[in-house]
Amino acid sequence: MNKKIAVIKGDGIGPEVVTEAMKVLDKTAEKFGHSFEYDQLLMGGCSIDANGVPLTDETIEKAKAADAVLMGSIGGNTATSPWYKLPADKRPEAGLLKLRKSLNLFANLRPALLYGELKDACPLKAEIAERGFDMMIMRELTGGLYFGARKTEEVDGIVTATDTLTYNENEIRRIAVRAFDIAMKRRKKVTSVDKANVLDSSRLWRKIVEEVAKDYPEVSYEHMLVDNCAMQLVKDPAQFDVVLTENMFGDILSDEASMITGSIGMLASASLNDTKFGLYEPSGGSAPDIAGQNKANPIATILSAAMLLRYSFDMDKEADAVEAAVAKVLKDGYRTGDIMSEGMKLVSCSEMGDVIAANI
Ligand code: IPM
Ligand code: MG
């Protein structure tokens, strides 16, 4: 198959990790008789430097014209980078949020699983790591606090900032349906996470999830409060299959989930709309402290490329091959610095890409 992939390398470690994912995609194309054509686009800090804005209309149009988007990461050091002297709507992150919204990418899938070989890198107690875990965090991505009205104003001489958390029933229903659909292909369990003891938006969330659940009699589901979920993730992560939650809770819980996999450098993600189109990016950030040093872990980006093959191109065999290659190199003892443990072989970002590509 001939496919066109828009590539946004972005900032920080983005260019390094995406280069390795493209290496693996090219090897996969060669093995399976496909051809992938790349259209490299700017977004984030690099777009601010080149165009004065974090995301241009041209980038949005070109992304839409592709079959899928592969992305690295965007943003810099918020304390020192000149990008953070700009007004909030001109900063790198504003570009990413606008892109998610423009492409209607409401369903964010973040699979967190503990590879047997990485049990030593897992910060949890050995008896918990021993049981392993394999969960899919389903984060709503185009609503909630991220997109509600916000303002900073003076009220009676006191500076006051407001953000609003709004969800309508349709936004909740479409992500809940996705979560139950995905649960049907996994262990058939959904944990819907909210703060229904405090928030109206969470009470509506619960009601709609219950309605959707009726169409999936085979899937067991439960509601869990977000603070309890944060605790359960480190106490007993094996209990989770699909974790369904709103935008902000999903942002926080997915970082927590990534850490117990050994490193944020391991967590892939897919952001999907209601077609086959999607944007695929590692869940971690741009890590400006190690950028340009060929030290970053490219595995999350390579696994995101595998999700791209599976969800946007229906290339299941190819995606399996990429995931198997990752598992194989971990088994063979190759480690980047973030997941290094005694007796393993420390490799650079590009060497990790090389060994994974060689195993396709
Ligand atoms: C993520 C990131 C983004 C988010 C930032 C960069 C805006 O943390 O993808 O999890 O909060 O969604
Ligand atoms: Mg985040």
Side-chain angles (χ1 to χ4, degrees), residues 124 128 131 230-237 239:
L124 301 178
I128 302 175
R131 287 204 298 274
M231 198 170 75
Q232 295 298 330
L233 272 174
V234 291
K235 196 171 154 235
D236 178 20
Q239 70 183 286

Side-chain angles (χ1 to χ4, degrees), residues 100 110 139 146 250-252 254-255 264 283-285:
R100 286 174 180 167
R110 298 189 164 182
R139 169 187 176 195
Y146 277 65
D251 179 44
I252 297 167
S254 62
D255 266 27
I264 194 158
S283 298

Side-chain angles (χ1 to χ4, degrees), residues 267-286:
L267 201 72
S269 103
S271 304
L272 308 174
N273 63 17
D274 43 22
T275 70
K276 284 273 159 206
F277 184 84
L279 179 148
Y280 300 83
E281 58 172 323
S283 298
S286 59

Side-chain angles (χ1 to χ4, degrees), residues 207-224:
K207 179 170 172 275
I208 303 298
V209 169
E210 274 163 25
E211 284 173 22
V212 170
K214 291 201 182 94
D215 295 332
Y216 297 84
E218 282 176 60
V219 177
S220 70
Y221 77 98
E222 63 182 350
H223 301 290
M224 189 178 280

Side-chain angles (χ1 to χ4, degrees), residues 19-37:
T19 301
E20 299 317 307
M22 290 165 73
K23 197 185 267 176
V24 172
L25 281 172
D26 285 338
K27 182 67 187 295
T28 309
E30 184 195 312
K31 278 269 162 172
F32 289 84
H34 304 299
S35 92
F36 299 145
E37 186 194 322

Side-chain angles (χ1 to χ4, degrees), residues 145-186:
L145 275 173
Y146 277 65
F147 294 94
R150 65 177 101 258
K151 63 182 170 198
T152 303
E153 61 189 342
E154 252 186 51
V155 178
D156 298 334
I158 299 169
V159 184
T160 307
T162 308
D163 297 283
T164 44
L165 200 180
T166 304
Y167 272 105
N168 69 40
E169 55 178 314
N170 298 335
E171 291 171 312
I172 301 170
R173 192 168 291 111
R174 64 183 181 178
I175 184 79
V177 166
R178 273 294 167 89
F180 280 84
D181 280 345
I182 286 176
M184 283 296 289
K185 295 192 187 153
R186 297 174 46 100

